[in-house]
Amino acid sequence: TEALVPDKHRLAAHPRFERYPQKTDLSSAIVSRIQQLRGKNIRQVVVICHADELWDELSANLPRRLPTGEGSKFILIDRRGISISASEPVVALSKPRLVGGQEFDAVIAVGLEEGLVPPRVGDNAALGVALEQRALREMYLSFTRARYRVEILLGPRARPTAVLSEAVGARLLLPPPAVLL
């Protein structure tokens, strides 16, 4: 990047985990987070889905659950290179491999839960290492799309993926909030 946003910028915040309540579905939890971010003047938000198992639910439900009339539009990023104006409010949904080259005020990463990313494999150590390396590249790509904020949304009882747990242990990320009942 040519210019980094200073940590003291009024919109900047440390990367953080968020956890949604047990009786809330993922799409509703994301909409709630987007509304809270909008209240803090975050205009462009991308939801990056790291787990293929969650994609169908999000692509079907997220656009329907977003409030209308906020002056923003929904964009499903289904291929690389989609042009998104930096001046208009937008909510986008993407997979990690498709979001390259874009920047948003905030990134909400979903699916970064133990057992989902990278997926568990049986006795094939080489495949396990390859999947972990791919997950690392995708996390890097996702997190670097944010101008000001990165939020990792976890289910009510989910544990973060091993890589993120290591980042918590190294004090690069704050630990996720306690399990919600």
Side-chain angles (χ1 to χ4, degrees):
T1 134
E2 293 179 17
L4 294 175
V5 175
D7 288 344
K8 295 186 192 272
H9 188 282
R10 66 180 177 80
L11 296 177
H14 291 288
R16 60 189 278 174
F17 288 100
E18 287 292 332
R19 202 177 283 283
Y20 60 93
Q22 190 167 356
K23 294 184 179 183
T24 302
D25 66 88
L26 180 58
S27 296
S28 296
I30 291 170
V31 169
S32 176
R33 290 302 312 143
I34 290 168
Q35 290 172 325
Q36 290 173 17
L37 289 166
R38 286 279 165 81
K40 296 176 180 176
N41 205 28
I42 301 293
R43 296 169 35 92
Q44 292 192 322
V45 180
V46 64
V47 177
I48 302 179
C49 181
H50 286 264
D52 289 336
E53 307 81 306
L54 303 176
W55 180 257
D56 289 341
E57 174 196 343
L58 291 178
S59 60
N61 294 327
L62 190 58
R64 292 183 309 159
R65 297 230 170 109
L66 287 168
T68 56
E70 287 188 17
S72 70
K73 65 181 183 178
F74 176 80
I75 297 174
L76 178 67
I77 300 176
D78 57 1
R79 68 188 192 302
R80 285 185 66 96
I82 289 179
S83 179
I84 299 173
S85 169
S87 63
E88 65 182 333
V90 67
V91 173
L93 173 64
S94 180
K95 293 181 178 182
R97 67 180 178 274
L98 302 175
V99 77
Q102 304 286 347
E103 277 193 339
F104 298 87
D105 294 342
V107 168
I108 299 174
V110 297
L112 293 175
E113 300 174 358
E114 189 177 88
L116 288 178
V117 174
R120 291 186 180 123
V121 292
D123 296 334
N124 191 335
L127 178 59
V129 169
L131 290 172
E132 185 174 306
Q133 291 300 311
R134 184 182 84 183
L136 285 170
R137 286 190 302 275
E138 289 179 348
M139 280 187 250
Y140 173 80
L141 180 63
S142 296
F143 298 165
T144 58
R145 302 301 94 205
R147 287 185 197 99
Y148 308 116
R149 296 174 187 238
V150 173
E151 294 190 0
I152 302 159
L153 191 59
L154 298 173
R157 297 180 188 267
R159 293 173 35 119
T161 188
V163 172
L164 295 176
S165 293
E166 289 176 25
V168 169
R171 297 188 179 171
L172 299 172
L173 275 173
L174 295 175
V179 172
L180 298 174
L181 300 176

